[in-house]
């Protein structure tokens, strides 16, 4: 990544995180809760286009920590425009968000992976006359972040990444890593690999990438629970990033915004293309842009090509969904859900994503998201 581009990404992500200092959320007592009031500058200008419609009162939502920084921006802008409305998004994990949604305690849930068939079945108890559906709202790269003194440029491929997280490669100067990084002085230092401690859609998406591209070295099903032996666990993307930032010799995975905001170096992925691909929102957009809708009816779950070798396409990507009822939503919060998600899926709402290190949802797919949101009942 060019230095100018890297510095700009860091600065914008830091600006995105700065809004969280004005949080007003009160839901469920998490140290990772997000939300905001007020705001100035471009984001407030964007908020002027928000239609508050039937929005009122408080709306509780929870789930994916991958979209925490996007939610910070959306909530800040939305609440600046819709006075008297409070959006409480509890950033925890995709698994916890789906559980809360199917218990009927939140208006929508954030998840880094689409609902499983059994989760859809469970949702029908809450969505009277309908079911839970997946609305893609946030895209972006899952960065492989590392902390290795003296090494600020590192390439890995799928096989090597799998072996590191599967506890098969244990030293930084392993010949497999050295082969991918000619001329780089790699230290004889133990690798400390960090993973998520709780069920996580980010974990599942990393597993999908490794399973699609390094099946021999990653013999696990792509599940939300971390499957491999060894390594160290931390809570949430923020927790994994904090550990990598602190520990020399460490490596972990988290959304790009966590890496840029904390000045954590990220791995370039050797996909078989002409050059290794950096984790940037632009490069992730190239991969997400090739996604296909595989959901049925109003469900807009996407199928991603994790094994892409397209030039400049970063393959370790995720799409974060907002999970809602297509029918049978709580009448008291339905107006707010539709109003808020309409903004999130709007041109203005998607624009702020790239400014924070995320990748906007492709235009054609996003148009279908807006159409579906307007039909929620």
């Amino acid at each position: 990544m060019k230095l100018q581009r890297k510095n700009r990404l860091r600065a914008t992500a830091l600006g995105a995180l700065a809004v969280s200092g004005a949080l007003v959320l009160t839901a469920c007592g998490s140290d990772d809760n997000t939300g905001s009031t007020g705001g100035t500058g471009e984001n407030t200008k964007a908020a002027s286009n928000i239609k508050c419609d039937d929005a009122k009162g408080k709306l509780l939502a929870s789930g994916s920590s991958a979209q925490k920084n996007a939610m910070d921006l959306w909530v800040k802008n939305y609440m600046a425009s819709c006075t008297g409305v409070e959006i409480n998004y509890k950033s925890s994990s995709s698994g916890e968000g789906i559980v809360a949604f199917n218990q009927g305690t939140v208006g929508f849930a954030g998840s880094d992976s689409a609902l499983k068939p059994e989760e859809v079945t469970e949702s029908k108890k809450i969505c009277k006359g309908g079911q839970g559906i997946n609305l893609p709202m946030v895209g972006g790269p899952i960065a492989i972040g590392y902390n290795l003194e003296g090494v600020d440029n590192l390439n890995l491929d799928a096989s090597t990444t799998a072996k590191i997280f599967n506890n098969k490669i244990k030293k930084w100067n392993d010949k497999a890593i050295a082969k991918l990084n000619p001329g780089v002085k790699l230290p004889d230092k133990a690798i400390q690999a960090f993973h998520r401690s709780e069920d996580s859609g980010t974990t599942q998406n990393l597993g999908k990438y490794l399973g699609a591209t390094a099946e021999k070295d990653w013999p696990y099903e792509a599940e939300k629970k971390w499957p491999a032996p060894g390594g160290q666990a931390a809570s949430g993307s923020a927790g994994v990033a904090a550990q990598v930032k602190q520990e020399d010799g460490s490596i972990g995975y988290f959304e790009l915004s966590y890496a840029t905001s904390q000045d954590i170096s990220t791995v370039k992925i050797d996909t078989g293309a002409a050059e290794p691909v950096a984790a940037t929102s632009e490069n992730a957009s190239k991969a997400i842009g090739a996604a296909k809708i595989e959901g049925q009816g109003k469900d807009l779950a996407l199928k991603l090509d994790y094994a892409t070798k397209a030039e400049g396409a970063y393959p370790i990507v995720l799409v974060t969904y907002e999970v809602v009822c297509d029918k049978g939503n709580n009448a008291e919060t339905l107006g707010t859900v539709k109003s808020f998600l309409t903004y999130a899926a709007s041109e203005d709402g998607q624009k702020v994503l790239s400014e924070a290190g995320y990748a906007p949802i492709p235009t054609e797919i996003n148009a279908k998201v807006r159409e579906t949101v307007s039909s929620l009942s």
Side-chain angles (χ1 to χ4, degrees):
M1 183 187 299
K2 293 182 179 180
L3 181 60
Q4 182 179 7
R5 169 64 185 161
K6 187 174 182 180
N7 287 340
R8 185 169 69 82
L9 268 176
R10 289 173 179 165
T12 53
L14 281 167
L17 286 176
V19 305
S20 63
L23 303 187
V24 297
L25 298 189
T26 58
C28 305
S30 167
D31 62 1
D32 208 15
N33 286 354
T34 62
S36 179
T37 58
T40 58
E42 285 298 316
N43 290 335
T44 301
K45 182 179 179 180
S48 66
N49 296 319
I50 294 172
K51 295 182 179 180
C52 302
D53 296 328
D54 298 322
K56 60 183 179 180
K58 294 183 179 181
L59 173 63
L60 301 181
S62 70
S64 163
S65 65
Q67 62 175 305
K68 172 189 181 296
N69 297 334
M71 276 290 172
D72 281 354
L73 290 170
W74 285 339
V75 169
K76 170 182 179 288
N77 291 347
Y78 184 83
M79 290 174 60
S81 180
C82 299
T83 57
V85 181
E86 185 175 341
I87 309 293
N88 293 350
Y89 182 81
K90 178 189 176 186
S91 171
S92 51
S93 70
S94 299
E96 292 177 65
I98 296 303
V99 169
F101 177 76
N102 281 338
Q103 290 176 341
T105 59
V106 295
F108 69 87
S111 178
D112 307 340
S113 56
L115 292 167
K116 295 180 180 179
E118 60 268 27
E119 292 171 335
V120 173
T121 299
E122 185 72 15
S123 73
K124 294 179 180 180
K125 299 176 183 178
I126 298 298
C127 306
K128 303 301 183 182
Q131 66 179 47
I133 57 172
N134 305 283
L135 302 178
M137 286 285 189
V138 182
I142 300 174
I144 306 296
Y146 70 97
N147 180 349
L148 191 59
E149 186 177 0
V151 178
D152 55 11
N153 189 18
L154 185 70
N155 300 326
L156 296 177
D157 59 13
S159 175
T160 306
T161 302
K163 289 176 181 177
I164 288 173
F165 284 109
N166 199 21
N167 204 34
K168 299 297 183 182
I169 292 180
K170 302 182 180 182
K171 288 289 190 74
W172 279 108
N173 62 347
D174 187 277
K175 61 182 181 180
I177 301 177
K179 184 177 180 180
L180 293 165
N181 296 275
V184 177
K185 187 176 181 180
L186 298 166
D188 182 15
K189 182 184 290 292
I191 296 174
Q192 297 186 67
F194 287 92
H195 59 264
R196 293 283 289 274
S197 59
E198 73 286 0
D199 287 1
S200 162
T202 310
T203 294
Q204 187 172 41
N205 280 276
L206 176 64
K208 288 179 179 179
Y209 163 71
L210 294 176
T213 54
E215 184 178 8
K216 179 181 176 182
D217 302 306
W218 192 257
Y220 308 108
E221 294 294 326
E223 299 291 348
K224 293 178 182 177
K225 184 177 180 62
W226 181 255
Q232 301 179 61
S235 178
S237 292
V240 175
Q243 290 297 320
V244 172
K245 176 69 174 179
Q246 180 178 327
E247 300 290 340
D248 184 33
S250 62
I251 190 169
Y253 59 94
F254 31 79
E255 293 67 44
L256 179 62
S257 60
Y258 291 93
T260 52
S261 66
Q262 297 191 51
D263 197 23
I264 297 173
S265 297
T266 60
V267 167
K268 292 180 180 178
I269 300 297
D270 185 340
T271 63
E275 297 290 338
V277 185
T280 68
S281 57
E282 290 88 350
N283 292 345
S285 291
K286 292 178 183 178
I288 295 172
K292 305 296 182 183
I293 296 175
E294 62 177 357
Q296 300 297 315
K298 293 184 178 180
D299 185 86
L300 300 179
L302 301 180
K303 182 176 179 61
L304 299 167
D305 181 10
Y306 295 96
T308 181
K309 295 182 180 180
E311 296 297 328
Y314 184 80
I316 318 177
V317 294
L318 62 75
V319 169
T320 290
Y321 301 94
E322 311 309 338
V323 176
V324 296
C325 296
D326 58 354
K327 297 179 182 179
N329 287 279
N330 186 321
E332 292 187 4
T333 58
L334 176 59
T336 307
V337 168
K338 294 178 70 171
S339 174
F340 178 70
L341 295 185
T342 294
Y343 164 62
S346 71
E347 183 176 337
D348 287 335
Q350 290 292 298
K351 180 181 178 181
V352 301
L353 296 183
S354 58
E355 296 170 357
Y358 291 98
I361 298 300
T363 302
E364 182 179 344
I365 295 172
N366 200 43
K368 294 183 179 180
V369 172
R370 290 195 292 268
E371 180 182 342
T372 302
V373 169
S374 69
S375 72
L376 299 179
S377 63

